[in-house]
Amino acid sequence: MLRTLIAAGSLATLTVAAHGQQEFEIPAETRATAQALAETARESDLAYEITESLSTEIGPRLAGTDAEARARDWGVEMLTELGFENVRVEEFPLDLWTRGDGVFETAEIVSPYPQPLYATSLGGGAATPQGGLEAEIAFFDSFDAFLESDDSEDALDGRIVFINDRMVATRTGEGYGWANRKRRDAWHLAEDRGAAGVLIRSVGTDSHRFPHTGMMSFPDGRRPQIPALAVSAPDADQIERIVASGETPVVHIHTRAGWRGEVTSGNVIGEIPGRENPEEIVVIGGHLDSWDLGTGALDDGAGVGITMAAAKLIGDLPEHPRRTIRVVLFGAEEVGLVGARAYARARAEDGTLENHVIGSESDFGAREVWKFSSNVGPDAVPAMDAIGRELAHLGVIRGDNESGGGPDMIPLQYMGVPMARLEQNGEDYFHFHHTPDDTFDKIDPDEMAQNVAAWAAFTYLAAELEVDYRAGREADVASQ
């Protein structure tokens, strides 16, 4: 694998800037190609059409279900039709969790003011008894308050824990991890204290009566023995008001959620082979699965459409870039990055991990890209800065060199693969995330086209420039 930052001849060169750092210069012809790709992408509706096809013809694609299998078939057919090469599916085993035989989950306040609630099981949650579960609520205004409460084995005996943290909307989505603690970990803490079930305010920023689902965590492989559901924000408000009045709500919940045994999922792969160094790989993509409540248009049909369209435009060039561009449509992301881990493990086993020169995933909806960040070796930062300058005309600013590449890139990043991130505006992403409201009508075609423009320019440059994106890491580590 290439281990120098520059080669001679017509390749990119470095100059010394006034502040003493080296500045990377992209050859004029390469810049012109990247800009032409971006302009073509701005006029293309291919990503929009791909996303429409996936979210309409397949719809919800819960990991491990027949719908996800149909999505894999769709992915193979679409990649082949678009002219990708080496199209294939890499299968992996998966433990299947579902809500249970299409039964509509129910929740209601029984007293003091009987009324229905809109709720949905969290991924991995257990079923209620056959007739449902009725119990008093143990109300906690925040996850921190819950952590600080009595942790004895019978502290919550027979009650249903309710945790009320709110999430604040931001362009970066940075409040998600903090608000998501209750979704990940409340169940096992509650179960250990004798609780009969868990309800949480949905991890979202909307005021719609749509509950947000999402996967829980399973420490040491442990699985819940109690039901765990999220309620919509307005219903959480209702519970909060009742508690504030001095009453203790009694709720009834019913779900048949549970684990169904081992099934097969898979990652769908297609490539634009490189013309000079085909063994070196720029990996991009999105995840093919979705939650079962909406049609997965934003999460992550958009990412699938954006990266497939960008790579297709590059593949249509008269001359392919030097390196191979590999598009991976990851399976089973929503249930724990299962496909991403399988992909990284397979690359470690087949000896091609070092050939992955850089990676990135689109998995944050379809609003405009506003920032370009990276995580590369220190000697490669000037090259990323130069790529960032090529994206400026699209309204994209240069971010730092401390980012990830997206959820499905995490296992590869842990194994040392450099990363880049085309960060999208997420101000309203968590209005729709993991809800029935994640549907195709939320996508603006012009904003999606801007995404494709940024992705096409970045991906082409990453694959064309003879840069080692790991460069300087060894020296940087040695100096510490």
Side-chain angles (χ1 to χ4, degrees), residues 62 95-99 105 120-126 183-185 187 200 212-218 222-224 226-230 255 257-259 291-293 334-336 434:
L62 185 64
D95 289 334
L96 175 64
W97 177 91
T98 72
R99 298 177 200 286
E105 298 170 306
T120 191
S121 284
L122 299 174
R183 192 188 82 195
R184 293 193 306 264
D185 295 320
W187 74 265
I200 65 168
H212 298 241
T213 190
M215 207 66 179
M216 300 187 293
S217 64
F218 310 107
R222 172 182 166 188
R223 289 179 176 171
I226 61 174
L229 296 87
T255 175
W259 297 90
W291 282 104
D292 51 337
L293 302 181
E334 296 289 4
V335 296
H434 296 181

Side-chain angles (χ1 to χ4, degrees), residues 228-249:
L229 296 87
V231 300
S232 74
D235 288 303
D237 292 343
Q238 195 80 318
I239 291 170
E240 182 181 45
R241 284 190 291 268
I242 293 171
V243 171
S245 74
E247 300 281 0
T248 299

